[in-house]
Amino acid sequence: MADPDPSPQDVLEEGLFSHLIELRSRLLRAIVTLLLVLLALVPVANWLYAELALPLVEKMPAGAHLIATEVASPFVTPLKLAFYVALFISMPMILYQLWAFVSPGLYRHEKRLARPLLVAALFLFYAGCAFAYYVVMPAAFKFLTAVTPQGVQMMTDITHYLDFVTLMFFAFGLCFEVPVAVVILAAVGVVDAAKLSKGRPYAIVGAFAISAFITPPDLLSMVMLAIPMCLLYEVGLLAVRFLLKPTPATDLVP
């Protein structure tokens, strides 16, 4: 006697189970990549921290230095930094695994838009972190050391410094995602090229407001973030005009 045809519920459960298996496999690949990179970075964790602290150390007065106020922080803080750097390095692999999992369910025009957006988002985040490290942080620390009150010796705790720099990297990396955010908003129909062009003055004011909130309390740091954000807004406007074109009917298939 032939086996009865599977019910729709059985087919749904089988498909869901296969997706969960694939998701687990891709998560394991991402985690293994992160752990391997972390293991490679642990032996050089102290060197990584010394490089991270360089923008502040170079601007500190003679005789000043970083301090550790907690017993375990000289050991734990460099390891935390090694983990952050490992995550930073492993992000392309993590995003690739995410893309490989979700891309089969996307339409052709969605894939054509998502690929450059994914690459651009990763590149812009890295660019924002590099901009913060090489441009903004030296200028900000120069200002902060210059305004230190007389009689006060500047000696920053290594854990607090790592937290501050990590926040700066994350904030600048997100702010550099302006073109990606603009394209996504246009792709879902919230704005179009004409509205973006008319909204340029509001975008400039918003860029300076965000910069004033994120950066250290000096005018130079604020301007150094606001100007790139304004330029990136223009890049997003160009990307909207270039990438978002009428979708052919042949692309409306997975």
Side-chain angles (χ1 to χ4, degrees):
M1 182 176 179
D3 294 333
D5 293 333
S7 65
Q9 183 177 356
D10 292 337
V11 173
L12 180 62
E13 290 178 353
E14 182 178 353
L16 179 61
F17 184 74
S18 64
H19 283 304
L20 291 176
I21 293 295
E22 182 184 2
L23 178 61
R24 185 188 67 173
S25 174
R26 298 202 175 277
L27 284 175
L28 285 175
R29 293 175 190 174
I31 292 172
V32 168
T33 301
L34 176 61
L35 290 177
L36 289 176
V37 176
L38 177 59
L39 288 175
L41 292 178
V42 166
V44 295
N46 289 337
W47 175 82
L48 288 174
Y49 194 91
E51 291 296 311
L52 184 72
L54 203 56
L56 176 60
V57 172
E58 289 180 340
K59 299 296 185 294
M60 295 177 78
H65 49 79
L66 296 175
I67 61 173
T69 58
E70 298 178 5
V71 175
S73 58
F75 172 74
V76 174
T77 303
L79 286 184
K80 284 175 61 178
L81 175 60
F83 173 78
Y84 294 153
V85 176
L87 186 62
F88 190 83
I89 295 174
S90 305
M91 193 54 64
M93 182 62 174
I94 295 172
L95 290 179
Y96 170 76
Q97 295 300 329
L98 176 63
W99 168 255
F101 178 73
V102 303
S103 61
L106 300 178
Y107 293 111
R108 289 180 185 175
H109 71 281
E110 292 174 334
K111 292 179 183 178
R112 188 170 60 242
L113 180 63
R115 289 193 193 102
L117 283 182
L118 196 60
V119 174
L122 188 64
F123 171 78
L124 288 170
F125 188 85
Y126 286 167
C129 295
F131 184 79
Y133 180 80
Y134 290 106
V135 179
V136 177
M137 285 168 52
F141 293 145
K142 182 178 181 180
F143 168 80
L144 293 174
T145 54
V147 300
T148 301
Q150 191 157 8
V152 176
Q153 188 171 7
M154 185 176 183
M155 292 191 297
T156 305
D157 176 66
I158 60 173
T159 302
H160 293 161
Y161 176 77
L162 177 60
D163 294 340
F164 174 80
V165 171
T166 303
L167 181 61
M168 288 279 288
F169 283 166
F170 187 72
F172 274 76
L174 286 184
C175 287
F176 268 57
E177 300 292 341
V178 169
V180 176
V182 168
V183 172
I184 292 175
L185 288 174
V188 299
V190 176
V191 294
D192 55 24
K195 289 182 180 179
L196 290 170
S197 187
K198 291 180 181 178
R200 185 180 286 111
Y202 301 100
I204 294 174
V205 173
F208 276 90
I210 293 172
S211 301
F213 179 75
I214 291 177
T215 58
D218 65 296
L219 181 62
L220 181 60
S221 298
M222 181 186 73
V223 172
M224 285 193 303
L225 176 58
I227 291 178
M229 287 181 67
C230 294
L231 296 176
L232 289 169
Y233 182 85
E234 298 298 328
V235 172
L237 178 56
L238 292 175
V240 168
R241 290 171 175 165
F242 178 74
L243 293 175
L244 298 182
K245 300 175 181 179
T247 303
T250 54
D251 284 352
L252 296 176
V253 292

